[in-house]
PDB file of all heavy atoms in Angstrom:
ATOM      1  N   ARG Q 757     -13.177  30.093 -26.385  1.00 84.00           N
ATOM      2  CA  ARG Q 757     -12.987  30.857 -25.239  1.00 84.00           C
ATOM      3  C   ARG Q 757     -11.553  31.617 -25.236  1.00 84.00           C
ATOM      4  O   ARG Q 757     -10.696  30.940 -25.857  1.00 84.00           O
ATOM      5  CB  ARG Q 757     -13.039  30.019 -24.006  1.00 84.00           C
ATOM      6  CG  ARG Q 757     -14.349  29.361 -23.805  1.00 84.00           C
ATOM      7  CD  ARG Q 757     -15.441  30.219 -23.591  1.00 84.00           C
ATOM      8  NE  ARG Q 757     -16.805  29.522 -23.364  1.00 84.00           N
ATOM      9  CZ  ARG Q 757     -17.878  30.122 -23.322  1.00 84.00           C
ATOM     10  NH1 ARG Q 757     -18.071  31.397 -23.681  1.00 84.00           N
ATOM     11  NH2 ARG Q 757     -19.005  29.354 -23.122  1.00 84.00           N
ATOM     12  N   PHE Q 758     -11.461  32.769 -24.812  1.00 85.00           N
ATOM     13  CA  PHE Q 758     -10.244  33.461 -24.892  1.00 85.00           C
ATOM     14  C   PHE Q 758      -9.799  34.205 -23.611  1.00 85.00           C
ATOM     15  O   PHE Q 758     -10.815  34.796 -22.936  1.00 85.00           O
ATOM     16  CB  PHE Q 758     -10.198  34.584 -26.084  1.00 85.00           C
ATOM     17  CG  PHE Q 758     -10.610  34.066 -27.293  1.00 85.00           C
ATOM     18  CD1 PHE Q 758     -11.963  34.062 -27.806  1.00 85.00           C
ATOM     19  CD2 PHE Q 758      -9.708  33.487 -28.266  1.00 85.00           C
ATOM     20  CE1 PHE Q 758     -12.236  33.470 -29.011  1.00 85.00           C
ATOM     21  CE2 PHE Q 758     -10.073  32.888 -29.464  1.00 85.00           C
ATOM     22  CZ  PHE Q 758     -11.358  33.017 -29.909  1.00 85.00           C
ATOM     23  N   LEU Q 759      -8.611  34.266 -23.240  1.00 85.00           N
ATOM     24  CA  LEU Q 759      -8.052  35.159 -22.251  1.00 85.00           C
ATOM     25  C   LEU Q 759      -7.175  36.170 -22.959  1.00 85.00           C
ATOM     26  O   LEU Q 759      -6.097  35.849 -23.429  1.00 85.00           O
ATOM     27  CB  LEU Q 759      -7.251  34.447 -21.267  1.00 85.00           C
ATOM     28  CG  LEU Q 759      -8.031  33.241 -20.303  1.00 85.00           C
ATOM     29  CD1 LEU Q 759      -7.087  32.657 -19.419  1.00 85.00           C
ATOM     30  CD2 LEU Q 759      -9.136  33.951 -19.567  1.00 85.00           C
ATOM     31  N   GLN Q 760      -7.635  37.404 -23.143  1.00 84.00           N
ATOM     32  CA  GLN Q 760      -6.943  38.376 -23.903  1.00 84.00           C
ATOM     33  C   GLN Q 760      -6.859  39.655 -23.242  1.00 84.00           C
ATOM     34  O   GLN Q 760      -7.660  40.016 -22.340  1.00 84.00           O
ATOM     35  CB  GLN Q 760      -7.806  38.583 -25.204  1.00 84.00           C
ATOM     36  CG  GLN Q 760      -7.906  37.398 -26.187  1.00 84.00           C
ATOM     37  CD  GLN Q 760      -8.862  37.732 -27.282  1.00 84.00           C
ATOM     38  OE1 GLN Q 760      -9.856  38.320 -27.108  1.00 84.00           O
ATOM     39  NE2 GLN Q 760      -8.621  36.987 -28.364  1.00 84.00           N
ATOM     40  N   PRO Q 780      -8.353  38.230 -16.785  1.00 67.00           N
ATOM     41  CA  PRO Q 780      -9.668  37.402 -16.514  1.00 67.00           C
ATOM     42  C   PRO Q 780      -9.254  35.999 -16.211  1.00 67.00           C
ATOM     43  O   PRO Q 780      -8.250  35.443 -16.689  1.00 67.00           O
ATOM     44  CB  PRO Q 780     -10.322  37.482 -17.830  1.00 67.00           C
ATOM     45  CG  PRO Q 780      -9.333  37.760 -18.901  1.00 67.00           C
ATOM     46  CD  PRO Q 780      -8.258  38.703 -18.246  1.00 67.00           C
ATOM     47  N   THR Q 781     -10.073  35.393 -15.400  1.00 79.00           N
ATOM     48  CA  THR Q 781      -9.923  33.847 -15.155  1.00 79.00           C
ATOM     49  C   THR Q 781     -11.043  33.170 -15.786  1.00 79.00           C
ATOM     50  O   THR Q 781     -12.219  33.507 -15.849  1.00 79.00           O
ATOM     51  CB  THR Q 781     -10.023  33.682 -13.564  1.00 79.00           C
ATOM     52  OG1 THR Q 781      -9.005  34.433 -12.922  1.00 79.00           O
ATOM     53  CG2 THR Q 781      -9.953  32.223 -13.275  1.00 79.00           C
ATOM     54  N   TYR Q 782     -10.718  31.986 -16.382  1.00 84.00           N
ATOM     55  CA  TYR Q 782     -11.699  31.216 -17.047  1.00 84.00           C
ATOM     56  C   TYR Q 782     -11.849  29.887 -16.124  1.00 84.00           C
ATOM     57  O   TYR Q 782     -10.879  29.176 -15.861  1.00 84.00           O
ATOM     58  CB  TYR Q 782     -11.231  30.818 -18.434  1.00 84.00           C
ATOM     59  CG  TYR Q 782     -11.942  29.716 -19.086  1.00 84.00           C
ATOM     60  CD1 TYR Q 782     -13.225  29.750 -19.381  1.00 84.00           C
ATOM     61  CD2 TYR Q 782     -11.238  28.498 -19.430  1.00 84.00           C
ATOM     62  CE1 TYR Q 782     -14.016  28.688 -19.995  1.00 84.00           C
ATOM     63  CE2 TYR Q 782     -11.884  27.445 -20.007  1.00 84.00           C
ATOM     64  CZ  TYR Q 782     -13.301  27.570 -20.344  1.00 84.00           C
ATOM     65  OH  TYR Q 782     -13.921  26.482 -20.945  1.00 84.00           O
ATOM     66  N   LEU Q 843      -8.434  28.474 -14.867  1.00 86.00           N
ATOM     67  CA  LEU Q 843      -7.260  28.843 -15.572  1.00 86.00           C
ATOM     68  C   LEU Q 843      -6.992  30.397 -15.371  1.00 86.00           C
ATOM     69  O   LEU Q 843      -7.938  31.107 -15.444  1.00 86.00           O
ATOM     70  CB  LEU Q 843      -7.326  28.531 -17.081  1.00 86.00           C
ATOM     71  CG  LEU Q 843      -7.515  27.019 -17.499  1.00 86.00           C
ATOM     72  CD1 LEU Q 843      -7.684  27.055 -18.993  1.00 86.00           C
ATOM     73  CD2 LEU Q 843      -6.298  26.302 -17.063  1.00 86.00           C
ATOM     74  N   LEU Q 845      -3.607  33.537 -16.050  1.00 90.00           N
ATOM     75  CA  LEU Q 845      -2.250  33.839 -16.549  1.00 90.00           C
ATOM     76  C   LEU Q 845      -1.428  34.599 -15.402  1.00 90.00           C
ATOM     77  O   LEU Q 845      -1.991  35.369 -14.707  1.00 90.00           O
ATOM     78  CB  LEU Q 845      -2.272  34.590 -17.809  1.00 90.00           C
ATOM     79  CG  LEU Q 845      -2.987  33.849 -18.966  1.00 90.00           C
ATOM     80  CD1 LEU Q 845      -3.147  34.818 -20.074  1.00 90.00           C
ATOM     81  CD2 LEU Q 845      -2.035  32.754 -19.443  1.00 90.00           C
ATOM     82  N   VAL Q 859      -1.454  39.496 -23.993  1.00 89.00           N
ATOM     83  CA  VAL Q 859      -1.627  38.079 -23.917  1.00 89.00           C
ATOM     84  C   VAL Q 859      -2.892  37.801 -24.727  1.00 89.00           C
ATOM     85  O   VAL Q 859      -3.855  38.468 -24.859  1.00 89.00           O
ATOM     86  CB  VAL Q 859      -1.932  37.507 -22.493  1.00 89.00           C
ATOM     87  CG1 VAL Q 859      -0.578  37.774 -21.703  1.00 89.00           C
ATOM     88  CG2 VAL Q 859      -3.027  38.332 -21.747  1.00 89.00           C
ATOM     89  N   ASP Q 860      -2.856  36.573 -25.312  1.00 88.00           N
ATOM     90  CA  ASP Q 860      -4.017  36.079 -26.125  1.00 88.00           C
ATOM     91  C   ASP Q 860      -3.951  34.615 -26.025  1.00 88.00           C
ATOM     92  O   ASP Q 860      -3.192  33.910 -26.767  1.00 88.00           O
ATOM     93  CB  ASP Q 860      -3.939  36.619 -27.570  1.00 88.00           C
ATOM     94  CG  ASP Q 860      -5.163  35.948 -28.503  1.00 88.00           C
ATOM     95  OD1 ASP Q 860      -6.008  35.464 -27.860  1.00 88.00           O
ATOM     96  OD2 ASP Q 860      -5.010  36.012 -29.647  1.00 88.00           O
ATOM     97  N   LEU Q 861      -4.810  33.928 -25.244  1.00 89.00           N
ATOM     98  CA  LEU Q 861      -4.840  32.522 -25.042  1.00 89.00           C
ATOM     99  C   LEU Q 861      -6.115  31.992 -25.609  1.00 89.00           C
ATOM    100  O   LEU Q 861      -7.263  32.453 -25.213  1.00 89.00           O
ATOM    101  CB  LEU Q 861      -4.778  32.033 -23.598  1.00 89.00           C
ATOM    102  CG  LEU Q 861      -4.885  30.535 -23.237  1.00 89.00           C
ATOM    103  CD1 LEU Q 861      -3.575  29.771 -23.780  1.00 89.00           C
ATOM    104  CD2 LEU Q 861      -5.035  30.361 -21.781  1.00 89.00           C
TER     105      LEU Q 861
END
Side-chain angles (χ1 to χ4, degrees):
R757 303 296 184 189
F758 304 94
L759 295 182
Q760 298 172 324
T781 296
Y782 165 65
L843 297 180
L845 293 171
V859 297
D860 176 13
L861 177 71

